[in-house]
Amino acid sequence: MSEEKLMSKKKPSYPVNKQLHLYLNEYNRNIKIPIFYDDLLRFSGSIVVYDKNDQDTLWVRVYYSEFEREEIDLSLKKVYTILHSDGNEETIPFLNVDAIDYCTFGNSKPFRVKIRNVLNDNYTYFYVKKADASRIYGLELEHMLSPHNLNFLVYKDTLIEEHIAGIPGDVFIKEELPKVTESAKSQIAKEFVKFNERCMIRLLGDMRSYNYVIVPVHDFDHVVYRIRAIDFDQQCFEGKLKVYRPQFFKENNKMVELVQEKLQKRSVDQYKIEERSIVARRMLATENQLEDLLLCMLNDEISLIDHINQLKTEIFNLTGDIEFKKSSNMGEVMKAALDFVRRNYENVNMRRLMME
């Protein structure tokens, strides 16, 4: 199935409503910052950014008038101190804005800011985007239900995201995957199964290979590979359930082939069960905050009625759970999905206790 048929052509941006702003304020995500996304759009010109192989990265490096650059640089340094510490401005003289890049590809059209510490030449990135409710829900669900914590800030219509380090999935599949050991390929296949299951459970869509990164972690005498989502624009929007399963994107065919080659069906089923159990435990550990987030989603509009009707029908056909059929918006579909996972986890535990 082609990606044109699998996904809608363009997802609209959904505004952050008052209830979601109150939630963000309650959980220290809503913090005043000195610059807005629209301020960065005032660049005077740009040049194309190429990668090490002289390929167009679809990013352009922007530049500003001398007067505006001084003000923008200072504001971005302040944002960095707010994002990574307590906003203490004593470190600002030791920071330098090395580059501001603008992405011309995709929905979010983010700015990527490179900040360098002049004392030791260490550098990091952060992103400035238009605040979109879908993306914020995606970030918070990733923070609560995945193995990875996320750091981001929202102020009015601007979203600041920290950089997620790793090798872009498409680059890894093309350049690194053929070189790893056979045992590493088995571990990557296992990780892809768990990643695929996690995306489906929490309805994170469009995990094509360039929307996630592979993170190599050195552990004693070998390397363990983790997969992390880096794009949360397609949270709970599309109507086709396949969009929430990375295995159905042609860009991930090599990963699917790896799973088929390295793992037996029994192992695949085992890893899916493991991931559902881990997600259920995270839901219990973050119960109060998750309930507050879902309450925002229940009272928000983050998809189209046709998508809602299609998705709830497809999941009902898969699970037989009547709660999906009764859902009237994406928040209710999301809640039904998480409740379904938690109920199954609790039922399994109950059966185990009874057997003991």
Side-chain angles (χ1 to χ4, degrees):
M1 181 178 290
S2 69
E3 66 186 55
E4 287 78 20
K5 292 181 181 178
L6 192 59
M7 293 185 61
S8 303
K9 288 187 176 179
K10 185 173 177 61
K11 183 189 83 70
S13 180
Y14 290 99
V16 181
N17 65 21
K18 183 178 180 180
Q19 186 173 2
L20 182 53
H21 271 300
L22 290 172
Y23 166 89
L24 293 167
N25 191 59
E26 173 70 18
Y27 291 98
N28 298 313
R29 299 289 200 189
N30 201 351
I31 298 174
K32 186 175 182 179
I33 55 176
I35 195 168
F36 295 101
Y37 175 88
D38 287 347
D39 294 330
L40 295 180
L41 289 173
R42 303 198 307 262
F43 53 86
S44 305
S46 64
I47 56 173
V48 176
V49 177
Y50 296 97
D51 64 15
K52 62 181 180 180
N53 299 316
D54 289 329
Q55 298 296 310
D56 187 348
T57 63
L58 303 178
W59 290 82
V60 295
R61 186 145 298 165
V62 300
Y63 53 88
Y64 300 83
S65 67
E66 186 176 347
F67 170 74
E68 288 200 321
R69 181 67 194 232
E70 185 177 342
E71 180 185 352
I72 286 171
D73 276 15
L74 179 59
S75 296
L76 291 173
K77 292 174 188 177
K78 289 179 179 178
V79 168
Y80 172 87
T81 65
I82 296 169
L83 185 65
H84 289 283
S85 62
D86 58 358
N88 189 325
E89 297 184 5
E90 292 181 6
T91 59
I92 284 179
F94 310 115
L95 301 177
N96 189 70
V97 178
D98 277 11
I100 303 172
D101 297 333
Y102 178 61
C103 184
T104 56
F105 176 72
N107 282 338
S108 60
K109 291 186 167 50
F111 286 92
R112 180 179 62 197
V113 181
K114 181 180 180 181
I115 297 280
R116 179 170 54 90
N117 186 315
V118 298
L119 296 178
N120 51 36
D121 265 354
N122 284 334
Y123 64 87
T124 188
Y125 298 93
F126 65 84
Y127 298 85
V128 183
K129 303 179 180 181
K130 272 283 189 184
D132 171 63
S134 301
R135 191 171 296 111
I136 291 169
Y137 289 128
L139 286 163
E140 279 289 46
L141 287 167
E142 179 78 2
H143 180 73
M144 286 186 266
L145 301 182
S146 84
H148 315 291
N149 293 331
L150 289 177
N151 190 14
F152 70 92
L153 303 172
V154 180
Y155 182 56
K156 295 185 178 179
D157 63 349
T158 296
L159 169 66
I160 308 293
E161 286 182 37
E162 72 174 350
H163 176 65
I164 298 174
I167 305 169
D170 54 340
V171 175
F172 182 87
I173 290 169
K174 181 181 178 181
E175 299 180 5
E176 302 298 326
L177 186 58
K179 298 186 291 187
V180 303
T181 64
E182 293 305 309
S183 61
K185 287 179 180 178
S186 295
Q187 189 270 318
I188 293 167
K190 170 186 174 181
E191 181 69 13
F192 186 77
V193 169
K194 294 169 80 71
F195 177 68
N196 189 78
E197 190 70 11
R198 189 161 65 243
C199 290
M200 183 179 70
I201 289 170
R202 36 100 22 130
L203 299 181
L204 176 62
D206 192 18
M207 281 299 107
R208 284 173 280 187
S209 55
Y210 48 77
N211 286 332
Y212 60 80
V213 293
I214 311 292
V215 185
V217 180
H218 291 266
D219 183 24
F220 292 107
D221 59 348
H222 68 291
V223 178
V224 176
Y225 295 89
R226 304 297 184 205
I227 302 179
R228 293 193 62 176
I230 58 171
D231 191 324
F232 304 94
D233 181 62
Q234 289 286 344
Q235 176 68 50
C236 298
F237 173 71
E238 292 286 349
K240 297 182 180 69
L241 182 57
K242 285 184 176 181
V243 172
Y244 304 101
R245 304 177 73 181
Q247 71 187 77
F248 288 106
F249 287 101
K250 62 179 173 48
E251 291 86 352
N252 295 325
N253 283 350
K254 290 289 184 185
M255 300 294 263
V256 175
E257 291 168 8
L258 198 63
V259 171
Q260 294 170 339
E261 176 190 338
K262 293 295 181 181
L263 302 178
Q264 297 180 1
K265 184 180 184 304
R266 208 162 26 173
S267 295
V268 171
D269 292 340
Q270 173 197 338
Y271 296 142
K272 288 180 178 179
I273 292 169
E274 285 180 9
E275 192 60 30
R276 290 175 208 152
S277 298
I278 292 169
V279 170
R281 289 201 293 270
R282 292 193 186 107
M283 288 167 59
L284 293 170
T286 59
E287 190 169 17
N288 291 336
Q289 185 174 354
L290 184 58
E291 284 184 2
D292 288 346
L293 183 69
L294 289 174
L295 189 60
C296 292
M297 296 183 77
L298 290 170
N299 295 300
D300 208 346
E301 180 185 331
I302 52 173
S303 188
L304 308 174
I305 190 64
D306 290 346
H307 290 185
I308 296 163
N309 290 335
Q310 180 179 2
L311 185 60
K312 73 179 187 180
T313 301
E314 289 192 15
I315 302 180
F316 170 74
N317 292 338
L318 178 68
T319 64
D321 187 342
I322 194 66
E323 292 303 317
F324 290 105
K325 216 165 189 178
K326 293 179 348 190
S327 300
S328 61
N329 61 36
M330 274 300 186
E332 291 181 3
V333 175
M334 185 76 252
K335 185 177 186 304
L338 295 180
D339 286 347
F340 180 81
V341 171
R342 180 159 58 182
R343 277 199 312 274
N344 277 275
Y345 172 75
E346 290 171 344
N347 289 340
V348 168
N349 280 348
M350 183 63 69
R351 287 197 296 270
R352 192 181 71 246
L353 288 171
M354 290 174 69
M355 290 175 64
E356 292 176 353

